[in-house]
Amino acid sequence: MSFKKPKILIVLIFSAILRVWGLGVLPRGLSVKEAELGLSLSGLFGNLSYSPFFLRLPFFLLGIFSIYLFYLVIKKLTKNVNFALISSILLTLTPWHFIESRIYSPGIIVFTLSLFFLLLILDKKSLVKKSTKVVPLLVIAVFLVSTLFAPADVANQVDRERNLAVETGFNLPIRPFSNKLIASYRQREALIFENLDFGNYFFMGHPRERLGVEENQKFFVSLLPLFLVGLFLIKKKEGLLLLSWAMVFIFLPGIVGKRLDSLAVSLSFPFLFVTTKGLIHLWSKKRKMVLYLLGAIFLFELLFFGESYFSQISESRFSPRQSYYIELVESVREERQEGERVLVTKRIDSPETFFKFYLKEKTLENYEFRTFDISQEPIKDGLFVDILPDDPSPVEPLVRDGEYPPEIEVLDEIRDDANNRTVVLYRYN
Amino acid sequence: MKKSTKIFLILIILGAIVRLYLLGEIPLGFFRDEAALGYNAFSIWETGKDEYGVFMPLVFRSFEVFFLPLYVYLSAPIVGLLGLSEFSTRLLSSLSGIGTLVIGFYIARRIWNEKAGLFAAFVLAIAPWHIFYSRGTFEGNLALFLFSLGFLFWIRFIDTKKLKEVFLSGLFFAFSMYAYQAERAVVPLFALIAVSLSYKKLWSQRKKLIPIIAAFLIVLIPLLSLTFKPGGYHRAFGVSVFSKDENPPGFLEERGEGLLVNNRVYLRARQVTSLYLSYFSPRNLFIEGDYDKQRSVENYSVFYAWMMPFLLLGLFRAFKKKGKKELLLFSWLFLGPVPAAMTGDPFHTYRSLLVYLPYSLFIGYGLAEVYDILKKYRKVFLLSLGGVSLASFVLFAFDYAVITQATRARAWDYGYRQIVEDVGDIKDSPVVTYDKWTEPYIHYLFFGKVDPEKYHKEVYEQGLPDDYYYKTAEEVRPGELENFEFREVAWREERGDSGTYFVMYEEALPESEFATDPKVELISEVIYPDGEVGYRIVRIRE
């Protein structure tokens, strides 16, 4: 990189500032994967591995590096520095890439590695030419072969259908119509099409949000018209390359048989490439009013996203990050007497992992993690951590008429808004 | 006979068989809207009045849905001649679907070529969306047929410049506005675009246009007169996102309104945009389907997933051509989802029914283009297409006719035929029906083939205010019909009413509520096709 042309350096510094701001603090709370990562690294890095900032730092660094690789790839493809710069700026400001650069993200790892690999082979023109012709067909072939391997839950679905057919009096052989192969194909096909949904990419909280799946803002909708314009400007060679890339990441969940939403951040490459094409085309055709309008909307969306993100209100309701553990573990630490037994319900998410992480102990003395029925629990000594409104016992509900039973002393209540429940810390009197 | 004509006829005949076979039996169940349209058609035929006794109404009020009238009026002679039944009620929609197959062929042929026409007819013949909506009582399907006729005559005008085509086009567009609500929004917008694109041709014959325009206005006057009455706008306003009091999605109650976060204008615009774009989302078009169980088939959406690449190719090629007819078809495509996008329901296939015909035509065009490109491999292509289509169709037919009938029976108000058979002849005891999931009274009217004159008297006796019919959207339902009552049941208090029959859905009357009570006699149960109990009929012993 030449110091005579610092423009990409400016973009990278800007990206770094955006992504490092509040790193470790925002988004609040850790996912179980992050906590597990911290625990596994504690042997190497000691207490440092219990720092959310430290845990997220590698993904931040990869995020910045991926922007640089993205720039190099596009510069090589188009032989146009300005095109590459514009694309890189768009990637910097893409919510999806921004979010994935600030959390534990297999997607950022794969994106970075994929760009690196692409950069290495771009010089080998014949290899690229052959690959782009073969890859789409190969992806489809691999997908079709993968349908022979039915995912685990398919058997239940097939049984259900066959039972229904019998109930309705269907008197032809059922197997040709309902079998694991068909069910496997459909399930995998559905996983592929989850990556082909406008709502998933442009509208956080859209009406067909997938239940239990973390969906965040990925791209700004103001870029969509530019993308559509750009589609008609793609040259054949570029198109084949982008298509091959896109097909790999779109089909991958169907091939593997499970959701891989984080990995799909790699789709930023074809999307932003085509969008930049559209942007430059409109600029060259002097459609400035259109660009100003889209620019104004883009700016608004950017500010909206920024305020939502940094105010912590953009988190998906299915976010894997359990921020309530920060308060909960602190509260347990304060209330627990020396050597006291702590019984933590397993109805909260992965409690053992999070307690170990926040207490910075790989082994916890006198902690139990299990589901329990408080009326049946023989030993009432100790500190209990449980959730509401689920009553631990149908015989002796924890809360009656809005009041706690007199036999317990409630020490703290920690609200878990994401799951709409309260975690209660208490002892028996 | 030309080969293409033979293929066309085969497609139409196959399409007709798929749409007519067991029409009265599948779908199982008979949705309340179907019963309402059927019974009102029966009432019109017998008396010239609707279920409320209103003579030749402009809309059909039925439980405040305010159906537009054309389906009922056109169905009246069918129901009158064939008798009131599920088959006769659904027949017009089915025939409209078959008609749309034919028109789809002619549209694609006129825009592109005969091959595209045949492939378009093929797509329509097997498309899940079209089979589904041609096998139920859907006024939207009639509206789609009329709209497509209007479109066909318009593109004929583009080629022939004959004003006769303009007249016919306008007439069918106007009729479509009398068939379903969505067309009331789309037709004027489409007409604006169509007229703009053919402005010069029309202007050159402007004097001859005057009587044609006058004829349109005369046809539309009744509809226009309704627009500003609750009877005319209640349905549209009732479901619109703009008329609801609730905040747009993403609005945080605990924060005040803001310039960025909690900006209502932005959030509402985002909501409408996301709803609009959902009708172009491959996931919805090929996999997810309608959010409502009553309007969806298990495991299927609007099109088969293998059609997607052909759709993309057809769209791409058509866009590249940039012909006037292609532009009109694109206008149809982009306007089709507008009414549905204004309501809060995600991916409502019925309200957006208009959009699926241009999609089907583009898929047909894509297939034709591939056929043209593959010069040496055409036979292989056709054999593969045939194999994939056959497999897809057979699996769809299984899921539609077997699985969906088992899982969606409740959504289709299954059970009332049996209920009315079981209790319809009871004259000397009260029969109380409680069903919060549907409008039981309309099912009793339909399956009981109640004499409309008798029913009109019941309605008059309710003492309704003058002029209520178009002017109020307040609930007007019969509480009773002779010894039949339709209301909520307070079972704990009413279980002692000797001699009374109760008809209730299973959740309202679980077995535990009466199994050990000697005073309660179980008369019959309605069992859904999946084996679950749907309704119970009990009698309180004297």
Side-chain angles (χ1 to χ4, degrees):
Chain A
M1 186 168 57
S2 165
F3 284 99
K4 290 179 189 170
K5 295 181 181 174
K7 287 178 189 168
I8 185 59
L9 187 59
I10 296 170
V11 173
L12 293 175
I13 291 169
F14 175 60
S15 309
I17 292 169
L18 270 185
R19 281 153 178 71
V20 83
W21 190 278
L23 185 69
V25 176
L26 296 169
R28 194 161 178 272
L30 297 179
S31 65
V32 68
K33 292 268 188 229
E34 288 172 320
E36 282 171 354
L37 178 66
L39 287 169
S40 61
L41 292 175
S42 62
L44 266 175
F45 297 102
N47 274 349
L48 199 56
S49 68
Y50 296 113
S51 158
F53 178 88
F54 177 78
L55 288 174
R56 290 170 175 173
L57 189 62
F59 304 98
F60 156 78
L61 292 170
L62 281 173
I64 304 305
F65 188 45
S66 67
I67 296 173
Y68 181 55
L69 288 173
F70 185 76
Y71 165 81
L72 291 176
V73 163
I74 299 206
K75 195 171 86 160
K76 205 169 245 193
L77 267 176
T78 60
K79 315 240 185 301
N80 185 328
V81 170
N82 288 336
F83 190 109
L85 271 173
I86 293 169
S87 301
S88 307
I89 292 169
L90 288 179
L91 184 63
T92 295
L93 299 175
T94 292
W96 201 0
H97 188 272
F98 173 84
I99 290 168
E100 295 284 325
S101 304
R102 293 172 59 90
I103 55 173
Y104 169 90
S105 169
I108 277 292
I109 300 173
V110 168
F111 185 41
T112 309
L113 289 174
S114 304
L115 285 170
F116 185 69
F117 174 73
L118 183 61
L119 191 64
L120 288 178
I121 70 164
L122 268 179
D123 284 330
K124 299 178 171 68
K125 286 192 168 57
S126 63
L127 176 62
V128 171
K129 193 175 173 183
K130 279 184 196 157
S131 306
T132 54
K133 285 183 178 164
V134 165
V135 164
L137 295 169
L138 189 63
V139 163
I140 293 172
V142 170
F143 165 70
L144 290 172
V145 167
S146 74
T147 59
L148 298 172
F149 304 95
D153 54 344
V154 147
N156 290 338
Q157 193 184 325
V158 172
D159 284 341
R160 172 187 162 265
E161 275 188 2
R162 288 180 180 174
N163 289 336
L164 283 171
V166 166
E167 285 285 348
T168 61
F170 183 70
N171 50 21
L172 292 175
I174 297 175
R175 256 183 218 280
F177 302 99
S178 179
N179 54 62
K180 282 189 188 174
L181 179 63
I182 292 171
S184 170
Y185 175 84
R186 280 179 178 158
Q187 202 177 84
R188 290 170 185 278
E189 186 183 63
L191 286 169
I192 291 169
F193 273 87
E194 284 186 2
N195 281 326
L196 298 172
D197 180 20
F198 284 114
N200 185 16
Y201 291 106
F202 297 102
F203 302 102
M204 188 184 156
H206 65 97
R208 303 205 96 180
E209 225 177 20
R210 292 165 290 171
L211 210 59
V213 179
E214 184 188 18
E215 290 195 23
N216 289 313
Q217 183 81 35
K218 292 182 169 68
F219 300 113
F220 295 126
V221 73
S222 46
L223 296 183
L224 186 55
L226 299 174
F227 175 77
L228 294 172
V229 168
L231 273 179
F232 290 93
L233 303 165
I234 293 292
K235 296 176 193 147
K236 188 177 171 184
K237 272 188 204 164
E238 295 168 338
L240 283 172
L241 177 66
L242 296 173
L243 179 68
S244 302
W245 179 287
M247 279 187 72
V248 166
F249 290 101
I250 288 171
F251 274 75
L252 202 55
I255 291 167
V256 169
K258 52 190 242 187
R259 286 194 175 109
L260 299 168
D261 280 23
S262 177
L263 262 56
V265 73
S266 299
L267 292 171
S268 303
F269 166 46
F271 178 77
L272 292 176
F273 184 95
V274 175
T275 300
T276 308
K277 276 258 177 186
L279 172 64
I280 290 175
H281 175 76
L282 287 181
W283 184 264
S284 67
K285 293 284 179 199
K286 306 211 187 305
R287 300 266 196 262
K288 300 234 168 99
M289 281 315 297
V290 173
L291 283 175
Y292 290 152
L293 179 64
L294 290 173
I297 299 170
F298 180 86
L299 185 62
F300 187 90
E301 287 190 281
L302 183 65
L303 292 171
F304 180 93
F305 171 73
E307 183 174 333
S308 305
Y309 183 86
F310 288 105
S311 310
Q312 271 279 268
I313 52 180
S314 67
E315 277 280 273
S316 160
R317 59 195 173 117
F318 301 115
S319 168
R321 285 164 284 283
Q322 311 297 324
S323 56
Y324 66 92
Y325 269 108
I326 300 172
E327 263 184 80
L328 174 64
V329 174
E330 190 53 39
S331 189
V332 166
R333 197 207 307 271
E334 280 174 12
E335 294 293 340
R336 188 185 182 217
Q337 289 156 8
E338 183 73 31
E340 185 180 18
R341 170 184 176 246
V342 180
L343 180 51
V344 183
T345 181
K346 272 190 127 173
R347 286 182 297 168
I348 55 177
D349 317 86
S350 308
E352 195 166 350
T353 304
F354 283 111
F355 267 81
K356 281 179 178 174
F357 181 87
Y358 284 109
L359 291 171
K360 299 181 185 172
E361 302 280 353
K362 279 184 104 168
T363 47
L364 295 173
E365 291 278 335
N366 224 2
Y367 274 81
E368 287 177 60
F369 299 93
R370 55 180 169 84
T371 49
F372 54 88
D373 178 348
I374 208 66
S375 67
Q376 307 293 326
E377 194 60 30
I379 304 168
K380 288 189 165 39
D381 289 341
L383 199 54
F384 293 86
V385 180
D386 208 340
I387 52 169
L388 300 172
D390 292 304
D391 296 326
S393 162
V395 174
E396 189 174 305
L398 195 60
V399 179
R400 200 182 285 135
D401 300 328
E403 296 289 326
Y404 291 106
E407 52 266 40
I408 67 165
E409 181 198 357
V410 172
L411 303 166
D412 203 356
E413 291 170 294
I414 293 103
R415 186 72 195 149
D416 173 16
D417 286 317
N419 294 299
N420 192 31
R421 59 190 184 186
T422 305
V423 184
V424 182
L425 198 64
Y426 60 91
R427 283 195 187 89
Y428 271 83
N429 288 322
Chain B
M1 197 187 275
K2 265 169 55 179
K3 190 176 169 188
S4 57
T5 310
K6 282 186 199 167
I7 296 171
F8 174 66
L9 286 173
I10 290 169
L11 285 172
I12 299 307
I13 290 166
L14 286 174
I17 292 170
V18 165
R19 281 148 183 76
L20 289 169
Y21 181 65
L22 294 179
L23 181 63
E25 287 81 23
I26 297 172
L28 288 177
F30 198 60
F31 193 58
R32 72 204 79 133
D33 286 18
E34 297 188 282
L37 289 166
Y39 187 76
N40 277 280
F42 176 61
S43 184
I44 289 287
W45 177 258
E46 297 280 314
T47 65
K49 299 173 187 171
D50 83 325
E51 67 181 81
Y52 293 87
V54 173
F55 182 74
M56 304 293 266
L58 287 173
V59 288
F60 285 84
R61 193 188 166 97
S62 253
F63 42 91
E64 293 75 52
V65 174
F66 295 102
F67 295 105
L68 286 171
L70 195 63
Y71 193 96
V72 175
Y73 287 119
L74 291 179
S75 277
I78 300 173
V79 167
L81 294 169
L82 297 181
L84 181 62
S85 68
E86 295 98 314
F87 179 85
S88 63
T89 306
R90 290 171 174 169
L91 186 58
L92 181 61
S93 176
S94 191
L95 293 173
S96 301
I98 296 165
T100 310
L101 281 185
V102 176
I103 303 304
F105 164 79
Y106 283 110
I107 291 174
R109 190 177 76 163
R110 188 160 280 274
I111 296 178
W112 299 300
N113 52 56
E114 190 162 66
K115 268 195 281 313
L118 289 172
F119 277 113
F122 165 71
V123 169
L124 279 167
I126 64 168
W129 74 273
H130 200 251
I131 294 171
F132 179 87
Y133 281 109
S134 299
R135 293 190 60 92
T137 314
F138 293 107
E139 340 98 87
N141 207 28
L142 170 65
L144 175 64
F145 170 62
L146 294 168
F147 187 98
S148 62
L149 266 172
F151 184 87
L152 175 64
F153 283 112
W154 189 266
I155 58 175
R156 282 168 59 108
F157 163 68
I158 289 173
D159 290 335
T160 64
K161 300 185 187 56
K162 289 184 184 164
L163 284 182
K164 173 185 85 171
E165 315 288 1
V166 173
F167 174 72
L168 288 169
S169 174
L171 204 62
F172 285 112
F173 277 133
F175 286 151
S176 76
M177 293 170 75
Y178 279 97
Y180 188 55
Q181 302 282 359
E183 275 71 3
R184 288 171 72 187
V186 174
V187 166
L189 294 170
F190 180 79
L192 210 61
I193 295 171
V195 165
S196 315
L197 287 174
S198 298
Y199 172 73
K200 285 185 185 154
K201 280 185 194 150
L202 291 167
W203 187 251
S204 65
Q205 304 181 72
R206 56 191 178 279
K207 285 191 181 148
K208 292 183 193 169
L209 273 175
I210 295 171
I212 294 175
I213 294 170
F216 295 153
L217 288 173
I218 291 168
V219 167
L220 288 175
I221 280 170
L223 197 63
L224 289 170
S225 71
L226 258 187
T227 302
F228 303 103
K229 293 181 185 163
Y233 64 66
H234 169 74
R235 186 71 186 144
F237 274 46
V239 297
S240 163
V241 290
F242 299 104
S243 61
K244 291 181 181 171
D245 287 335
E246 59 214 39
N247 288 316
F251 189 89
L252 301 162
E253 300 287 345
E254 60 274 17
R255 285 169 79 116
E257 278 202 57
L259 184 62
L260 291 171
V261 170
N262 272 14
N263 181 319
R264 271 183 215 274
V265 172
Y266 169 69
L267 290 173
R268 189 65 79 192
R270 190 174 80 167
Q271 180 192 19
V272 172
T273 309
S274 86
L275 287 166
Y276 179 75
L277 285 179
S278 73
Y279 295 97
F280 300 95
S281 192
R283 180 180 167 226
N284 293 332
L285 291 172
F286 299 103
I287 301 290
E288 273 303 304
D290 199 306
Y291 74 96
D292 188 312
K293 282 181 178 294
Q294 191 255 334
R295 293 187 303 268
S296 59
V297 175
E298 287 262 350
N299 299 317
Y300 286 89
S301 180
V302 182
F303 295 105
Y304 303 108
W306 59 262
M307 290 180 170
M308 184 172 138
F310 300 107
L311 172 63
L312 293 175
L313 180 64
L315 285 168
F316 185 76
R317 296 280 218 188
F319 189 80
K320 281 273 194 188
K321 280 185 124 189
K322 290 193 177 108
K324 198 179 277 184
K325 287 176 250 180
E326 279 90 351
L327 277 176
L328 282 171
L329 195 59
F330 275 108
S331 302
W332 181 354
L333 179 72
F334 290 125
L335 288 175
V338 166
M342 296 297 149
T343 71
D345 301 316
F347 202 66
H348 195 299
T349 54
Y350 190 34
R351 288 183 193 144
S352 60
L353 200 65
L354 272 173
V355 80
Y356 306 113
L357 186 54
Y359 270 132
S360 303
L361 301 181
F362 283 122
I363 293 171
Y365 183 45
L367 285 165
E369 289 288 280
V370 171
Y371 181 83
D372 276 339
I373 290 166
L374 296 174
K375 291 184 173 43
K376 271 194 270 184
Y377 303 102
R378 282 177 182 172
K379 274 197 178 149
V380 174
F381 170 66
L382 287 176
L383 277 169
S384 308
L385 180 66
V388 168
S389 308
L390 183 64
S392 303
F393 177 73
V394 166
L395 290 174
F396 167 75
F398 172 75
D399 276 333
Y400 174 70
V402 179
I403 303 299
T404 300
Q405 300 319 312
T407 59
R408 309 284 206 253
R410 179 197 287 265
W412 278 81
D413 294 345
Y414 175 84
Y416 273 91
R417 173 177 274 283
Q418 181 189 332
I419 289 170
V420 174
E421 278 170 10
D422 289 350
V423 301
D425 290 334
I426 296 169
K427 301 287 180 220
D428 49 0
S429 300
V431 179
V432 182
T433 303
Y434 171 38
D435 186 353
K436 69 175 184 180
W437 301 116
T438 185
E439 301 289 343
Y441 88 94
I442 198 69
H443 294 293
Y444 275 80
L445 290 177
F446 184 92
F447 289 107
K449 297 187 175 49
V450 172
D451 177 10
E453 294 273 11
K454 192 196 302 189
Y455 182 64
H456 297 158
K457 285 196 188 109
E458 292 276 349
V459 174
Y460 288 137
E461 277 165 16
Q462 285 189 74
L464 296 161
D466 295 337
D467 247 4
Y468 75 95
Y469 194 84
Y470 298 111
K471 288 194 176 169
T472 169
E474 302 293 321
E475 196 174 288
V476 176
R477 310 282 167 77
E480 41 190 81
L481 173 64
E482 293 180 326
N483 59 313
F484 294 91
E485 295 172 45
F486 310 102
R487 57 174 175 79
E488 191 168 340
V489 169
W491 178 246
R492 299 265 160 103
E493 287 83 32
E494 295 186 60
R495 65 190 298 160
D497 294 353
S498 301
T500 303
Y501 289 80
F502 290 97
V503 181
M504 291 160 73
Y505 59 102
E506 202 276 337
E507 290 86 351
L509 188 61
E511 200 176 354
S512 55
E513 285 290 334
F514 66 88
T516 54
D517 187 341
K519 278 207 77 176
V520 181
E521 179 191 359
L522 179 67
I523 302 297
S524 66
E525 288 179 329
V526 171
I527 310 294
Y528 286 136
D530 62 1
E532 300 288 316
V533 173
Y535 296 92
R536 290 195 169 95
I537 303 173
V538 298
R539 181 180 160 272
I540 311 302
R541 291 190 168 101
E542 309 281 354

